Amino acid sequence: MSRTRTALLAALALVAGASGTALAVAPGDAGIAAVPCTVDYKVQNQWDTGFTAAVTVTNNTTAKSSWSLKWAYAGNQKVTSGWNAKISQSGTAVTAANESYNGTLATGGSVSFGFQGSYSGTNAVPATFTLDGVTCNVDGGGPTDPGPTDPGTPGTRVDNPYAGSKVYVNPEWSANAAAEPGGSRVANQPTGVWLDRIAAINGTGGKMGLRAHLDEALKQKGSGELVVQLVIYDLPGRDCSALASNGELGPTEIDKYKTQYIDPIAAILADPKYASLRIVNTVELDSLPNLVTNVTPRATATANCDTMKANGNYVKGVGYALNKLGDAPNVYNYVDAGHHGWLGWDDNFSATVQTIKQAATAEGATVNDVQGFITNTANYSALKEQNFTINDSVNGKSVRESKWVDWNRYVDELSYAQAFRQEAVNQGFPAGVGMLIDTSRNGWGGSARPTGPGAMTDVDTYVNGGKLDRRIHVGNWCNQSGAGLGERPKASPAAGIDAYVWIKPPGESDGSSSAIANDEGKGFDRMCDPTYTGNPRNNNNMSGALPNAPLSGHWFSAQFQQLMQNAYPAL
């Protein structure tokens, strides 16, 4: 079941910190023998009619392959949703049993789970617990006692997690940037942490895993607020319309996605140790829009996208991720909304919102599990075209008739993102949803940047002469020649926009410019080949890609140098 954000926002004053630590004593030892287990129960947030709680169980006896914790409430508390445990309730009696992925409980090991509940009157900590039949007694911790292992009171849920907050600097990306000539100028910028394989959760190839990043984030946090940006990106049949970022899971491996990818991530994010962090998930980039634009009968259809629409695993996967990840009260989910050059046409725009809403109400998720949407990740669309608008005309022809705009209703990302937010609200998403715009590679500065409008000779000359986005075609997406760093990350930069972000780390390749054998499941997409003459998705134009590019996600020094050279605002 899913946490309802509106309930968490309902109270302005939260009563937090109720806790108790239960000590299980071996029978016959009169409390002086070694303690076989501890149970730490903490009420994290509490409002007039509900609360969230975190429970940590530590096992000091022989290792377990499964576990079951039981307790009873003295009042009328009811568990309404839970995460990282199978929680059931009969009357006042509650049972929390392990999930498939966290049944192992080593000697000295701990496991954490959490839940949301309702109550009226008082909300006392349960008096007794039993762990696999061993009785545990509360040590007397009162409702204001933080408990001996309290990691700190988590921050109150906010409308915009970026407001008043620092953002995590990924030390691995920072080191790559700093090693480049001139890279120290941007090496302290926050970028996304990509969890693009199951192995990335624990770390692979010498790279930091999720817990390592979150531990580092706690160090960077200090006494203020800090946002950690994660990319949730491993759907079955991932990126059905391209090849460069194909994933490790086949089209039907939805169960593996749930149990081996989303569930372990959710377990880590729910750890009370990280409750003081604001964790932003950007959920499954370039996925749901494919179900609108790249399926039959569209000319851009692919067999893989038809398969994913038919089996429903994109919708199921995103819904499951939103539900499970959104359960933790300090987690904020933003769903991918493509970019204006993909979805800005009438037959794509509203249909994409409808598809996202379908996913946001699947697998136990609700629209309240969606904090907002993100556009332009791994793309290059200009933030704001300064030299023309969608309402301009030349010699009686609208700019919409130009080859570049091609009847799109938007010419840049800011106008598109603001309109997308409003359409989402119109279709039933909460009025407070926000937008993120990825500005990591859409600056388009340097000597080729136009300084004013194009000549009024005709509509194409006018648009092509004045547009800041210097790509050959708006459908080009891979390692684009001439691109530059865009606006630096910042909170609340425009109406309806929660932040400008660098989710796609500048300098990490979009895909290889030729076929490269690898064990990462990544194919060769001709849109990354600078000699490619195109397909229907870019109106059969040249790809505009840089040469000599490595696999997607790998460091691409030449691209990074170009991005710095063409940065706008300039470095």
mmCIF file of all heavy atoms in Angstrom, residues 261-289:
data_model
loop_
_atom_site.group_PDB
_atom_site.id
_atom_site.type_symbol
_atom_site.label_atom_id
_atom_site.label_comp_id
_atom_site.label_asym_id
_atom_site.label_seq_id
_atom_site.Cartn_x
_atom_site.Cartn_y
_atom_site.Cartn_z
ATOM 1 N N TYR A 261 15.610 -5.311 -7.858
ATOM 2 C CA TYR A 261 16.030 -3.931 -8.122
ATOM 3 C C TYR A 261 15.278 -2.933 -7.232
ATOM 4 O O TYR A 261 15.880 -2.310 -6.347
ATOM 5 C CB TYR A 261 15.823 -3.609 -9.602
ATOM 6 C CG TYR A 261 16.248 -2.203 -9.987
ATOM 7 C CD1 TYR A 261 17.587 -1.830 -9.966
ATOM 8 C CD2 TYR A 261 15.301 -1.251 -10.361
ATOM 9 C CE1 TYR A 261 17.975 -0.532 -10.299
ATOM 10 C CE2 TYR A 261 15.681 0.035 -10.706
ATOM 11 C CZ TYR A 261 17.023 0.399 -10.672
ATOM 12 O OH TYR A 261 17.396 1.674 -11.000
ATOM 13 N N ILE A 262 13.968 -2.809 -7.398
ATOM 14 C CA ILE A 262 13.227 -1.800 -6.637
ATOM 15 C C ILE A 262 13.196 -2.126 -5.141
ATOM 16 O O ILE A 262 13.446 -1.246 -4.293
ATOM 17 C CB ILE A 262 11.793 -1.651 -7.182
ATOM 18 C CG1 ILE A 262 11.834 -1.051 -8.592
ATOM 19 C CG2 ILE A 262 10.965 -0.763 -6.249
ATOM 20 C CD1 ILE A 262 12.432 0.338 -8.685
ATOM 21 N N ASP A 263 12.893 -3.365 -4.773
ATOM 22 C CA ASP A 263 12.775 -3.702 -3.351
ATOM 23 C C ASP A 263 14.063 -3.424 -2.570
ATOM 24 O O ASP A 263 14.005 -2.825 -1.488
ATOM 25 C CB ASP A 263 12.352 -5.162 -3.180
ATOM 26 C CG ASP A 263 10.891 -5.394 -3.546
ATOM 27 O OD1 ASP A 263 10.168 -4.402 -3.753
ATOM 28 O OD2 ASP A 263 10.479 -6.576 -3.645
ATOM 29 N N PRO A 264 15.229 -3.834 -3.068
ATOM 30 C CA PRO A 264 16.457 -3.508 -2.319
ATOM 31 C C PRO A 264 16.719 -2.005 -2.214
ATOM 32 O O PRO A 264 17.212 -1.534 -1.186
ATOM 33 C CB PRO A 264 17.557 -4.217 -3.120
ATOM 34 C CG PRO A 264 16.861 -5.324 -3.829
ATOM 35 C CD PRO A 264 15.509 -4.780 -4.176
ATOM 36 N N ILE A 265 16.411 -1.248 -3.264
ATOM 37 C CA ILE A 265 16.581 0.209 -3.186
ATOM 38 C C ILE A 265 15.651 0.781 -2.128
ATOM 39 O O ILE A 265 16.047 1.606 -1.290
ATOM 40 C CB ILE A 265 16.316 0.867 -4.557
ATOM 41 C CG1 ILE A 265 17.394 0.459 -5.562
ATOM 42 C CG2 ILE A 265 16.274 2.393 -4.423
ATOM 43 C CD1 ILE A 265 17.124 0.938 -6.982
ATOM 44 N N ALA A 266 14.386 0.328 -2.147
ATOM 45 C CA ALA A 266 13.419 0.814 -1.166
ATOM 46 C C ALA A 266 13.860 0.504 0.256
ATOM 47 O O ALA A 266 13.684 1.322 1.168
ATOM 48 C CB ALA A 266 12.042 0.205 -1.446
ATOM 49 N N ALA A 267 14.445 -0.675 0.460
ATOM 50 C CA ALA A 267 14.908 -1.053 1.794
ATOM 51 C C ALA A 267 15.994 -0.112 2.291
ATOM 52 O O ALA A 267 16.014 0.287 3.464
ATOM 53 C CB ALA A 267 15.411 -2.495 1.773
ATOM 54 N N ILE A 268 16.896 0.264 1.418
ATOM 55 C CA ILE A 268 17.970 1.176 1.801
ATOM 56 C C ILE A 268 17.428 2.574 2.072
ATOM 57 O O ILE A 268 17.778 3.222 3.070
ATOM 58 C CB ILE A 268 19.058 1.211 0.719
ATOM 59 C CG1 ILE A 268 19.754 -0.154 0.621
ATOM 60 C CG2 ILE A 268 20.085 2.309 1.001
ATOM 61 C CD1 ILE A 268 20.694 -0.297 -0.562
ATOM 62 N N LEU A 269 16.542 3.054 1.208
ATOM 63 C CA LEU A 269 16.010 4.405 1.384
ATOM 64 C C LEU A 269 15.186 4.525 2.657
ATOM 65 O O LEU A 269 15.068 5.613 3.225
ATOM 66 C CB LEU A 269 15.164 4.810 0.178
ATOM 67 C CG LEU A 269 15.869 4.864 -1.179
ATOM 68 C CD1 LEU A 269 14.967 5.513 -2.214
ATOM 69 C CD2 LEU A 269 17.200 5.598 -1.093
ATOM 70 N N ALA A 270 14.582 3.422 3.103
ATOM 71 C CA ALA A 270 13.758 3.447 4.307
ATOM 72 C C ALA A 270 14.573 3.301 5.586
ATOM 73 O O ALA A 270 14.011 3.405 6.684
ATOM 74 C CB ALA A 270 12.706 2.343 4.241
ATOM 75 N N ASP A 271 15.865 3.076 5.481
ATOM 76 C CA ASP A 271 16.710 2.955 6.664
ATOM 77 C C ASP A 271 16.635 4.258 7.470
ATOM 78 O O ASP A 271 16.901 5.337 6.933
ATOM 79 C CB ASP A 271 18.155 2.681 6.235
ATOM 80 C CG ASP A 271 19.051 2.313 7.412
ATOM 81 O OD1 ASP A 271 18.812 2.787 8.539
ATOM 82 O OD2 ASP A 271 20.022 1.553 7.194
ATOM 83 N N PRO A 272 16.272 4.198 8.751
ATOM 84 C CA PRO A 272 16.175 5.414 9.557
ATOM 85 C C PRO A 272 17.477 6.234 9.581
ATOM 86 O O PRO A 272 17.435 7.442 9.831
ATOM 87 C CB PRO A 272 15.844 4.886 10.956
ATOM 88 C CG PRO A 272 15.182 3.571 10.717
ATOM 89 C CD PRO A 272 15.852 2.989 9.508
ATOM 90 N N LYS A 273 18.585 5.590 9.304
ATOM 91 C CA LYS A 273 19.861 6.310 9.267
ATOM 92 C C LYS A 273 19.827 7.458 8.273
ATOM 93 O O LYS A 273 20.506 8.471 8.460
ATOM 94 C CB LYS A 273 20.974 5.317 8.888
ATOM 95 C CG LYS A 273 22.368 5.908 8.787
ATOM 96 C CD LYS A 273 23.357 4.823 8.395
ATOM 97 C CE LYS A 273 24.787 5.370 8.330
ATOM 98 N NZ LYS A 273 25.751 4.306 7.932
ATOM 99 N N TYR A 274 19.034 7.306 7.195
ATOM 100 C CA TYR A 274 19.013 8.304 6.126
ATOM 101 C C TYR A 274 17.761 9.179 6.151
ATOM 102 O O TYR A 274 17.481 9.893 5.190
ATOM 103 C CB TYR A 274 19.121 7.596 4.770
ATOM 104 C CG TYR A 274 20.314 6.669 4.683
ATOM 105 C CD1 TYR A 274 20.149 5.307 4.409
ATOM 106 C CD2 TYR A 274 21.615 7.135 4.915
ATOM 107 C CE1 TYR A 274 21.239 4.448 4.340
ATOM 108 C CE2 TYR A 274 22.706 6.276 4.861
ATOM 109 C CZ TYR A 274 22.509 4.937 4.573
ATOM 110 O OH TYR A 274 23.598 4.087 4.517
ATOM 111 N N ALA A 275 17.024 9.115 7.259
ATOM 112 C CA ALA A 275 15.739 9.813 7.321
ATOM 113 C C ALA A 275 15.884 11.327 7.248
ATOM 114 O O ALA A 275 14.928 12.028 6.903
ATOM 115 C CB ALA A 275 14.990 9.424 8.595
ATOM 116 N N SER A 276 17.051 11.859 7.562
ATOM 117 C CA SER A 276 17.224 13.312 7.548
ATOM 118 C C SER A 276 17.591 13.845 6.167
ATOM 119 O O SER A 276 17.654 15.060 5.967
ATOM 120 C CB SER A 276 18.306 13.724 8.551
ATOM 121 O OG SER A 276 19.572 13.195 8.179
ATOM 122 N N LEU A 277 17.834 12.950 5.203
ATOM 123 C CA LEU A 277 18.148 13.379 3.843
ATOM 124 C C LEU A 277 16.862 13.571 3.043
ATOM 125 O O LEU A 277 15.875 12.877 3.272
ATOM 126 C CB LEU A 277 19.018 12.332 3.141
ATOM 127 C CG LEU A 277 20.395 12.047 3.743
ATOM 128 C CD1 LEU A 277 21.029 10.844 3.059
ATOM 129 C CD2 LEU A 277 21.303 13.277 3.620
ATOM 130 N N ARG A 278 16.872 14.498 2.098
ATOM 131 C CA ARG A 278 15.785 14.618 1.132
ATOM 132 C C ARG A 278 16.226 13.857 -0.123
ATOM 133 O O ARG A 278 17.162 14.280 -0.805
ATOM 134 C CB ARG A 278 15.502 16.082 0.803
ATOM 135 C CG ARG A 278 14.989 16.896 1.979
ATOM 136 C CD ARG A 278 14.805 18.361 1.605
ATOM 137 N NE ARG A 278 14.283 19.137 2.715
ATOM 138 C CZ ARG A 278 14.051 20.450 2.670
ATOM 139 N NH1 ARG A 278 14.293 21.126 1.547
ATOM 140 N NH2 ARG A 278 13.579 21.073 3.731
ATOM 141 N N ILE A 279 15.580 12.748 -0.392
ATOM 142 C CA ILE A 279 15.993 11.884 -1.489
ATOM 143 C C ILE A 279 15.054 12.090 -2.671
ATOM 144 O O ILE A 279 13.845 11.851 -2.569
ATOM 145 C CB ILE A 279 16.007 10.411 -1.044
ATOM 146 C CG1 ILE A 279 17.031 10.232 0.092
ATOM 147 C CG2 ILE A 279 16.338 9.504 -2.226
ATOM 148 C CD1 ILE A 279 16.982 8.878 0.753
ATOM 149 N N VAL A 280 15.592 12.553 -3.789
ATOM 150 C CA VAL A 280 14.824 12.791 -5.009
ATOM 151 C C VAL A 280 15.113 11.668 -5.999
ATOM 152 O O VAL A 280 16.268 11.445 -6.377
ATOM 153 C CB VAL A 280 15.183 14.154 -5.631
ATOM 154 C CG1 VAL A 280 14.663 14.263 -7.060
ATOM 155 C CG2 VAL A 280 14.621 15.286 -4.778
ATOM 156 N N ASN A 281 14.068 10.954 -6.383
ATOM 157 C CA ASN A 281 14.187 9.916 -7.406
ATOM 158 C C ASN A 281 13.656 10.444 -8.734
ATOM 159 O O ASN A 281 12.516 10.907 -8.801
ATOM 160 C CB ASN A 281 13.368 8.678 -7.026
ATOM 161 C CG ASN A 281 13.882 7.984 -5.793
ATOM 162 O OD1 ASN A 281 15.081 7.868 -5.589
ATOM 163 N ND2 ASN A 281 12.970 7.520 -4.953
ATOM 164 N N THR A 282 14.463 10.371 -9.781
ATOM 165 C CA THR A 282 13.953 10.601 -11.129
ATOM 166 C C THR A 282 13.693 9.217 -11.712
ATOM 167 O O THR A 282 14.611 8.410 -11.850
ATOM 168 C CB THR A 282 14.938 11.414 -11.977
ATOM 169 O OG1 THR A 282 16.206 10.764 -12.012
ATOM 170 C CG2 THR A 282 15.126 12.796 -11.374
ATOM 171 N N VAL A 283 12.422 8.967 -12.026
ATOM 172 C CA VAL A 283 11.957 7.594 -12.228
ATOM 173 C C VAL A 283 11.855 7.239 -13.702
ATOM 174 O O VAL A 283 11.067 7.818 -14.445
ATOM 175 C CB VAL A 283 10.600 7.399 -11.526
ATOM 176 C CG1 VAL A 283 10.076 5.986 -11.764
ATOM 177 C CG2 VAL A 283 10.733 7.677 -10.030
ATOM 178 N N GLU A 284 12.678 6.309 -14.119
ATOM 179 C CA GLU A 284 12.631 5.617 -15.412
ATOM 180 C C GLU A 284 12.546 6.577 -16.597
ATOM 181 O O GLU A 284 11.507 6.763 -17.224
ATOM 182 C CB GLU A 284 11.501 4.598 -15.430
ATOM 183 C CG GLU A 284 11.710 3.458 -14.440
ATOM 184 C CD GLU A 284 12.967 2.615 -14.715
ATOM 185 O OE1 GLU A 284 13.618 2.825 -15.755
ATOM 186 O OE2 GLU A 284 13.285 1.742 -13.878
ATOM 187 N N LEU A 285 13.698 7.170 -16.887
ATOM 188 C CA LEU A 285 13.821 8.110 -17.994
ATOM 189 C C LEU A 285 13.494 7.444 -19.328
ATOM 190 O O LEU A 285 13.761 6.255 -19.531
ATOM 191 C CB LEU A 285 15.237 8.671 -18.015
ATOM 192 C CG LEU A 285 15.725 9.248 -16.678
ATOM 193 C CD1 LEU A 285 17.176 9.643 -16.767
ATOM 194 C CD2 LEU A 285 14.872 10.422 -16.247
ATOM 195 N N ASP A 286 12.908 8.224 -20.231
ATOM 196 C CA ASP A 286 12.651 7.777 -21.618
ATOM 197 C C ASP A 286 11.860 6.475 -21.690
ATOM 198 O O ASP A 286 12.109 5.644 -22.556
ATOM 199 C CB ASP A 286 13.977 7.599 -22.380
ATOM 200 C CG ASP A 286 14.689 8.918 -22.610
ATOM 201 O OD1 ASP A 286 14.083 9.970 -22.332
ATOM 202 O OD2 ASP A 286 15.837 8.901 -23.057
ATOM 203 N N SER A 287 10.919 6.278 -20.790
ATOM 204 C CA SER A 287 10.178 5.017 -20.806
ATOM 205 C C SER A 287 8.735 5.225 -21.229
ATOM 206 O O SER A 287 8.353 4.878 -22.351
ATOM 207 C CB SER A 287 10.239 4.352 -19.423
ATOM 208 O OG SER A 287 9.685 5.190 -18.424
ATOM 209 N N LEU A 288 7.917 5.788 -20.351
ATOM 210 C CA LEU A 288 6.490 5.900 -20.635
ATOM 211 C C LEU A 288 6.180 6.678 -21.916
ATOM 212 O O LEU A 288 5.252 6.293 -22.648
ATOM 213 C CB LEU A 288 5.775 6.526 -19.434
ATOM 214 C CG LEU A 288 5.817 5.692 -18.145
ATOM 215 C CD1 LEU A 288 5.196 6.457 -16.991
ATOM 216 C CD2 LEU A 288 5.117 4.354 -18.333
ATOM 217 N N PRO A 289 6.918 7.767 -22.240
ATOM 218 C CA PRO A 289 6.612 8.451 -23.508
ATOM 219 C C PRO A 289 6.748 7.557 -24.735
ATOM 220 O O PRO A 289 6.062 7.782 -25.743
ATOM 221 C CB PRO A 289 7.633 9.597 -23.538
ATOM 222 C CG PRO A 289 7.901 9.896 -22.108
ATOM 223 C CD PRO A 289 7.885 8.542 -21.440
#
